[in-house]
């Protein structure tokens, strides 16, 4: 009776129908570190306990999922960086790896026939980004000022943030922008006046 | 034989001797000096908690006021010592609570400290003043609450890089309202928020506060509140150094910083937003110590900050500083004594920053007082090492870590023997050395020949044969600590130099070729050493005698073998064979 039940399950192909625990699209068990919602000290404890190559490999796995070039197989305790330091660096890098490989966002420009896509990770700061946009769309965006926005420019860059609001590019620190930007829209200067005056 | 001076006079003379070395020498003069000295020794340093027992210490030195104890071997920092290995402080605290009621200071490194121990400390020593827990673990914020509540005379609470289980941020509120003697507080390792209002009130009522190192959870917007209440601060560790860009936040911060005229040391800087760095510019000229090793800021902002600190003596920084930044450092900071460059991406397959050997060479050229170096990089050449050695013959500490093991000189593809050889030959005062890259037995010959003042040596993925280890053990006269991993060193060199081990504090060897048989022999030959095999595969004699052990830890001791060993540690002594049968 049991054997046939097992065979029955296999026939059902539960995996394909996603009838199982775990996030859709993932094959493996949720990583201890990811599922742990406790404080950072818990995270540190987990790191310490499983002091084996597997721990290093798990870290490697995380990075591989994010699409970064796969690091070589790790040796326990090499390079000699203390756990505390490793954890802090990982925590500070986390926002980037969470959003997956690269940070591609759509860019639309008013009047252009089709949209483009760019990788926000590729740019170091606003200057870089705006220059690239100017090149890509053959337009002038001009210089940002906190008071006037892009007043006087032909075009103004705006973006949709995590909350779905349309914001003026340049208000928040670059790192904050990169993690909250969902898509870009290069508005005509005349339309953008409203945003700039806020 | 008549005594020349009364006891009180001798005691007074001895009180000027602060170093243990001097006091130990005094003890050897004659019996009466030994007696007088032991009654007036106030500070004890125990470099290895298993080298001596609390009872022996207490019996010899009955009037101690300050104790410093170190526990786990250094390689425990890198996960090479399994959890549960030992180094428990409780037996020490228990013994001292009875014997040293006037104890004022406890400093611990790499030890397991429980809440129970902290509570016992807080209740046993009425005049307790200083608690420093460096890289310790095993306690929670409840233990800290006991310290805060009961230690009325506490001056220093320093938790540097310890692992604390954060149960609640309210422990800080346990400092009573009439507690005003705080001089130094370091909570930078705590993960979660402490009650800010409690912190603010504590700072406000601590007129002697000199050192304040906050944890990441303290927001930048609130930092001015603390600085305004403590403009006399000498050392500051910020919390997260990021906030929304707002002009009022910025001006508050700048104003608060400019009121701190005594600041000499800065640290913290997690999550740095570069726009807020200029708020600190006013204090830069007084800064002598700067720890930016958690600050993930890139070169232009980083370099601007660093080069403003013209009186810098110590800099810890991430490799985001790059060669160009180090060149600028070398040009601006002529008083630099210590440089540590940490890797921002230690496990990355490809370099993420432009930091090479050139950066270190620049600093060695430009900074005449440089004596201490810790440098992580991805490439090195013999030529660079030779240049560094020639530039800075007064180096005391040189620790180089090339991220990939066994990497040769990238220009000539030769081993780095010549380069490190130049270091030990030129830097005659060298006390600490860490090697990396491709190295043959030859480098050890150079080290054995020249490194006569070397006290601590760290070796990884190096050497060809036992000859390498033999050179080190037979040549390095001042060697105290030797730690080795993943090297083809085995029985011969170890057994031939067995007696040397009694002159050292400890030897660590992991993933080498030392056999179980040799360990047994060593343990039997030298009863004053503890020869401990750490092996997670089960009892060593379930495998052939020739089988190499996973890890070996050898240290001299006067208190015999450990009584608190976990299941994966075996001690090799005369009874070893009896115990296993």
């Amino acid at each position: 009776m049991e054997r046939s039940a097992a065979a029955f399950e296999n026939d059902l192909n539960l995996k394909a129908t996603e009838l199982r625990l775990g996030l859709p699209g993932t094959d493996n068990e949720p990583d201890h570190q990811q599922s742990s919602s406790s404080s950072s000290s818990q995270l540190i404890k987990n790191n310490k306990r499983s002091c084996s190559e597997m721990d290093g490999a798990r870290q490697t796995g995380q990075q591989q999922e994010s699409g970064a070039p796969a690091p070589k197989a790790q040796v326990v305790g090499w390079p000699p960086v203390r756990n505390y330091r490793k954890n802090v660096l990982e925590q500070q890098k986390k926002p980037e790896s969470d959003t997956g490989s690269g940070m591609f966002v759509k860019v639309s420009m008013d009047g252009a026939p089709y949209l483009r896509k760019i990788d926000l990770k590729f740019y170091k700061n606003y200057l870089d980004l705006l220059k690239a946009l100017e090149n890509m769309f053959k337009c002038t965006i001009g210089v940002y000022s906190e008071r006037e926005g892009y007043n006087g420019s032909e075009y103004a860059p705006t973006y949709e943030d995590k909350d779905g609001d349309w914001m003026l590019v340049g208000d928040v620190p670059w790192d904050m922008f990169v993690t909250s930007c969902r898509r870009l829209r290069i508005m005509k200067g005349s339309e953008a006046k409203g945003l700039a005056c806020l | 034989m008549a005594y020349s001076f009364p006891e009180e006079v001798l005691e007074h003379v001895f009180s000027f001797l602060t170093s243990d070395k001097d006091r130990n020498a005094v003890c050897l003069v004659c019996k009466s000096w030994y007696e007088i000295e032991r009654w007036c020794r106030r500070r004890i340093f125990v470099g290895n908690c298993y080298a001596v027992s609390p009872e022996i210490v207490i019996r010899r030195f009955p009037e101690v006021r300050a104790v410093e104890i170190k526990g786990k071997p250094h390689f425990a920092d890198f996960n090479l010592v399994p959890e549960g290995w030992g180094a428990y402080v409780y037996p020490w605290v228990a013994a001292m609570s009875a014997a040293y009621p006037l104890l004022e200071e406890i400093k611990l490194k790499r030890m397991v400290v429980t809440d129970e121990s902290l509570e016992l400390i807080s209740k046993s020593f009425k005049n307790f003043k200083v608690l420093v827990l460096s890289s310790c673990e095993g306690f929670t914020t409840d233990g800290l609450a006991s310290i805060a509540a009961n230690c009325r005379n506490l001056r220093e609470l320093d938790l540097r890089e310890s692992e604390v289980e954060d149960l609640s941020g309210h422990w800080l509120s346990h400092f009573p309202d009439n507690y005003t003697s705080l001089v130094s507080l370091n909570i930078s390792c705590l993960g979660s928020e402490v009650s800010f209002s409690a912190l603010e009130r504590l700072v406000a009522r601590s007129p002697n506060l000199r050192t304040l190192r906050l944890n990441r959870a303290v927001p930048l917007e609130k930092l001015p509140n603390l600085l305004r209440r403590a403009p006399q601060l000498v050392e500051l560790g910020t919390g997260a150094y990021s906030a929304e860009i707002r002009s009022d936040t910025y001006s508050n911060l700048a104003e608060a910083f400019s009121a701190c005229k005594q600041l000499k040391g800065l640290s913290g800087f997690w999550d740095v937003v570069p726009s807020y760095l200029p708020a600190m510019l006013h204090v830069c000229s007084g800064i002598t110590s700067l720890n930016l090793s958690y600050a993930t800021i890139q070169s232009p902002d980083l370099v601007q900050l660093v080069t403003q600190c013209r009186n810098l003596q110590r800099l810890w920084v991430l490799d985001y500083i790059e060669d160009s930044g180090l060149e600028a450092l070398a040009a601006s900071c002529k008083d630099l004594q210590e440089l540590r460059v940490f890797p921002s991406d230690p496990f990355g397959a490809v370099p993420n920053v432009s930091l090479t050997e050139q950066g270190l060479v620049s600093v060695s050229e430009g900074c005449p007082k440089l004596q201490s170096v810790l440098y992580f990089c991805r490439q090195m050449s013999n030529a660079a090492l030779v240049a560094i050695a020639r530039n800075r013959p007064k180096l005391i500490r040189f620790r180089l870590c090339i991220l990939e093991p066994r990497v040769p000189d990238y220009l000539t593809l030769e081993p780095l023997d010549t380069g490190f050889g130049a270091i030990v030959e030129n830097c005659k005062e060298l006390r600490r050395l860490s090697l990396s890259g491709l190295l043959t037995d030859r480098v050890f010959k150079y080290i054995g020949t020249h490194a006569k003042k070397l006290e601590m040596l760290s070796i990884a993925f190096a050497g060809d044969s036992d000859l390498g280890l033999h050179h080190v053990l037979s040549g390095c006269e001042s060697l105290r600590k030797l730690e080795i991993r993943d090297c083809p060193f085995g029985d011969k060199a170890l057994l031939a130099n067995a007696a040397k081990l009694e002159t050292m504090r400890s030897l660590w060897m992991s993933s080498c070729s030392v056999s179980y048989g040799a360990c047994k022999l060593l343990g039997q030959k030298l009863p004053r050493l503890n020869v401990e095999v750490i092996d997670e595969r089960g009892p060593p004699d379930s495998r052939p005698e020739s089988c190499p052990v996973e890890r070996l830890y050898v240290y001299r001791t006067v208190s015999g073998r450990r009584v608190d060993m976990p299941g994966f540690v075996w001690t090799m002594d005369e009874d070893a064979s009896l115990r296993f049968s």
Side-chain angles (χ1 to χ4, degrees):
Chain A
M1 195 60 179
E2 277 174 342
R3 226 181 295 141
S4 54
F8 185 57
E9 270 189 2
N10 281 337
D11 281 342
L12 276 182
N13 198 353
L14 289 170
K15 191 169 147 198
T17 55
E18 298 293 342
L19 287 172
R20 60 194 171 97
L21 296 171
L23 295 170
T26 57
D27 259 341
N28 44 333
E29 298 282 312
D31 191 84
H32 279 305
Q33 292 169 352
Q34 283 173 329
S35 61
S36 164
S37 56
S38 48
S39 65
S40 58
S41 61
Q42 268 299 329
L43 196 69
I44 293 168
K45 263 200 168 153
N46 282 339
N47 268 337
K48 233 191 166 182
R49 232 165 241 146
S50 49
C51 69
S52 63
E53 285 175 42
M54 272 314 291
D55 198 45
R58 235 184 277 140
Q59 288 174 351
T60 317
Q62 273 184 310
Q63 286 173 348
Q64 278 174 328
E65 274 164 36
S66 72
K72 50 212 176 317
Q74 289 174 37
V75 179
V76 175
W78 191 267
V81 178
R82 285 194 185 175
N83 280 333
Y84 179 73
R85 193 170 287 285
K86 266 192 285 184
N87 290 333
V88 170
L89 287 177
E90 262 175 48
Q91 276 168 28
Q92 290 187 89
K93 282 188 193 161
K94 238 183 177 177
E96 283 178 27
S97 55
D98 267 348
T99 52
S101 62
M103 296 187 69
F104 284 92
V105 296
K106 289 185 190 168
V107 188
S108 61
M109 180 160 102
D110 292 353
Y114 48 79
L115 280 63
R116 301 297 301 273
K117 240 189 176 172
I118 57 168
D119 180 1
L120 288 180
K121 266 191 175 171
F122 188 71
Y123 307 99
K124 286 193 185 160
N125 51 35
Y126 283 122
L127 201 61
D128 259 4
L129 173 66
L130 296 178
K131 282 241 167 333
L133 289 176
E134 283 181 338
N135 272 335
M136 195 182 258
F137 290 95
K138 304 283 179 282
C139 62
T140 44
I141 292 174
V143 175
Y144 166 82
S145 84
E146 206 184 338
R147 266 192 71 219
E148 313 270 77
Y150 296 87
N151 231 358
S153 314
E154 208 187 334
Y155 288 96
T158 63
Y159 71 100
E160 184 183 33
D161 73 358
K162 274 192 223 174
D163 300 327
D165 298 318
W166 283 94
M167 317 283 294
L168 189 68
V169 170
D171 282 341
V172 301
W174 173 253
D175 292 26
M176 206 185 285
F177 164 74
V178 166
T179 52
S180 53
C181 172
R182 289 292 157 258
R183 54 186 298 168
L184 283 157
R185 177 184 162 202
I186 304 179
M187 274 181 163
K188 273 216 156 58
S190 43
E191 261 193 78
K193 263 213 164 107
L195 275 174
C197 289
L198 286 170
Chain B
M1 181 98 66
Y3 302 125
S4 35
F5 292 117
E7 256 182 55
E8 295 80 13
V9 176
L10 280 172
E11 223 183 275
H12 183 69
V13 172
F14 294 165
S15 69
F16 293 100
L17 298 174
T18 47
S19 94
D20 279 351
K21 238 178 134 190
D22 291 340
R23 283 190 163 259
N24 290 344
V26 155
C27 294
L28 296 175
V29 168
C30 62
K31 278 190 186 153
S32 68
W33 279 37
Y34 176 94
E35 272 303 306
I36 296 166
E37 194 283 323
R38 78 181 188 90
W39 278 93
C40 68
R41 192 177 301 210
R42 298 281 175 261
R43 300 192 149 265
I44 297 287
F45 171 74
V46 177
N48 172 4
C49 63
Y50 291 118
V52 68
S53 72
E55 290 71 35
I56 293 175
V57 173
I58 290 167
R59 194 165 58 224
R60 180 166 170 197
F61 300 112
E63 298 277 337
V64 166
R65 299 274 187 275
V67 165
E68 186 177 342
I69 312 174
K70 293 188 177 179
K72 301 185 202 175
H74 175 234
F75 274 177
D77 285 352
F78 316 124
N79 288 349
L80 291 180
V81 176
E83 186 102 354
W85 176 82
Y88 306 105
V89 82
Y90 190 81
W92 288 87
V93 177
M96 293 189 302
S97 71
Y100 298 149
L102 299 175
L103 192 70
E104 295 177 3
E105 286 182 28
I106 295 178
K107 294 183 181 174
L108 305 174
K109 189 166 187 180
R110 283 189 212 101
M111 294 199 75
V112 176
V113 180
T114 57
D115 285 348
E116 213 186 353
S117 308
L118 291 176
E119 201 180 329
L120 189 54
I121 290 171
S122 76
K123 300 216 166 113
S124 310
F125 311 115
K126 296 296 162 230
N127 207 22
F128 196 67
K129 295 198 171 100
V130 173
L131 183 63
V132 177
L133 302 176
S134 179
S135 302
C136 293
E137 52 161 356
F139 60 103
T140 76
T141 43
D142 285 353
L144 298 178
S146 312
I147 297 287
N150 300 317
C151 299
R152 299 299 162 116
N153 294 309
L154 194 69
R155 298 226 181 107
E156 217 176 299
L157 178 59
D158 186 340
L159 305 175
R160 56 181 89 151
E161 293 182 348
S162 290
E163 282 181 24
V164 186
E165 199 175 329
D166 261 307
L167 298 178
S168 136
H170 290 291
W171 67 270
L172 204 69
S173 319
H174 287 256
F175 281 113
D177 289 334
N178 61 358
Y179 166 69
T180 57
S181 47
L182 194 61
V183 174
S184 170
L185 181 66
N186 179 355
I187 52 168
S188 54
C189 62
L190 293 183
S192 58
E193 254 182 83
V194 288
S195 154
F196 189 80
S197 52
L199 181 59
E200 215 174 348
R201 277 179 280 120
L202 178 62
V203 169
R205 65 178 188 277
S206 305
N208 298 317
L209 193 64
R210 292 282 172 276
T211 299
L212 180 64
R213 299 209 196 271
L214 304 168
N215 64 338
R216 197 167 169 193
V218 176
L220 189 60
E221 297 94 343
K222 297 214 174 132
L223 185 59
N225 296 23
L226 297 172
L227 292 181
R228 258 182 250 118
R229 286 171 174 72
Q232 76 281 8
L233 277 181
V234 175
E235 293 182 326
L236 170 72
T238 71
Y241 206 79
S242 71
E244 278 181 35
I245 312 283
R246 292 176 51 145
S247 51
D248 53 349
T249 312
Y250 183 93
S251 53
N252 274 346
L253 190 61
E255 207 181 308
F257 265 118
S258 59
C260 297
K261 308 247 184 260
Q262 323 251 27
L263 270 181
K264 287 208 166 351
L266 285 174
S267 61
F269 298 107
W270 291 281
D271 312 315
V272 177
V273 165
S275 327
Y276 277 107
L277 285 175
M280 284 199 306
L281 280 179
H282 287 294
V283 300
C284 284
S285 56
I287 296 298
T288 56
S289 170
L290 188 55
N291 182 352
L292 293 169
S293 61
Y294 299 111
T296 51
I297 29 169
Q298 310 285 336
S299 208
D301 307 297
L302 187 50
V303 174
Q304 204 207 16
L305 177 61
V306 168
T307 52
Q308 286 286 329
C309 301
R310 301 209 161 248
N311 290 311
L312 206 56
Q313 291 171 15
R314 174 158 53 155
L315 176 65
W316 291 21
V317 73
L318 285 170
D319 54 10
Y320 289 127
I321 196 163
E322 299 190 318
D323 288 343
S324 53
L326 289 175
E327 209 178 306
L329 175 73
S332 320
C333 304
K334 295 303 183 184
D335 276 348
L336 195 71
Q337 293 172 20
E338 179 180 328
L339 174 68
R340 295 196 191 190
V341 178
F342 295 94
S344 53
D345 189 17
F347 305 110
V350 291
N352 61 327
V353 291
S354 176
L355 179 100
T356 68
E357 81 284 5
Q358 190 47 48
L360 187 56
V361 172
S362 307
V363 176
S364 77
E365 277 166 7
C367 300
K369 301 191 186 166
L370 188 71
Q371 36 166 241
S372 182
V373 170
L374 170 62
Y375 200 74
F376 284 82
C377 60
R378 289 176 192 267
Q379 69 185 39
M380 188 49 63
S381 66
N382 283 310
L385 286 170
V386 168
I388 293 164
R390 292 221 181 105
N391 289 335
R392 295 275 70 83
K394 295 253 171 64
L395 277 178
I396 293 179
R397 280 170 225 103
F398 188 73
R399 297 157 70 187
L400 180 69
C401 180
I402 305 170
L403 292 176
E404 180 76 29
R406 300 196 187 93
V407 151
D409 175 329
Y410 77 100
L411 295 171
T412 64
L413 297 183
E414 283 172 359
L416 291 171
D417 300 337
T418 324
F420 279 107
I423 294 279
V424 292
E425 198 176 334
N426 284 297
C427 306
K428 304 205 193 298
E429 303 297 314
L430 199 68
R431 294 204 301 252
R432 183 166 179 183
L433 178 64
S434 300
L435 307 169
S436 57
L438 182 66
L439 297 163
T440 71
D441 285 346
R442 252 184 334 139
V443 72
F444 299 111
K445 180 143 194 233
Y446 297 145
I447 292 173
T449 308
H450 296 288
K452 295 304 180 188
K453 299 265 179 78
L454 194 67
E455 297 179 3
M456 182 168 176
L457 179 61
S458 309
I459 310 173
F461 305 103
D464 310 310
S465 73
D466 268 37
L467 202 52
L469 181 57
H470 173 70
H471 285 311
V472 170
L473 289 176
S474 58
C476 296
E477 291 161 6
S478 311
L479 198 62
R480 293 191 296 114
K481 289 181 281 185
L482 180 58
E483 46 185 26
I484 305 172
R485 64 162 295 174
D486 294 273
C487 295
F489 299 150
D491 303 346
K492 281 204 294 249
L494 204 54
L495 293 172
N497 292 283
K500 170 75 174 173
L501 299 176
E502 281 188 347
T503 69
M504 292 165 54
R505 182 188 296 176
S506 65
L507 165 70
W508 169 279
M509 293 179 74
S510 56
S511 306
C512 295
S513 317
V514 181
S515 71
Y516 170 52
C519 294
K520 276 202 293 187
L521 202 52
L522 197 61
Q524 284 161 16
K525 260 175 98 167
L526 297 160
R528 288 187 298 191
L529 294 179
N530 274 358
V531 178
E532 292 173 3
V533 167
I534 301 168
D535 210 315
E536 286 175 291
R537 296 172 294 179
D541 61 350
S542 58
R543 292 177 291 278
E545 285 224 345
S546 55
C547 187
V549 299
E550 266 180 5
R551 286 162 269 221
L552 173 65
Y553 186 48
V554 181
Y555 56 91
R556 63 182 178 188
T557 179
V558 295
S559 59
R561 54 189 181 84
R562 281 175 63 179
V563 295
D564 61 355
M565 285 180 294
F568 49 82
V569 177
W570 287 269
T571 191
M572 311 283 112
D573 54 21
E574 306 92 67
D575 308 328
S577 44
L578 287 173
R579 238 177 304 113
F580 288 130
S581 56

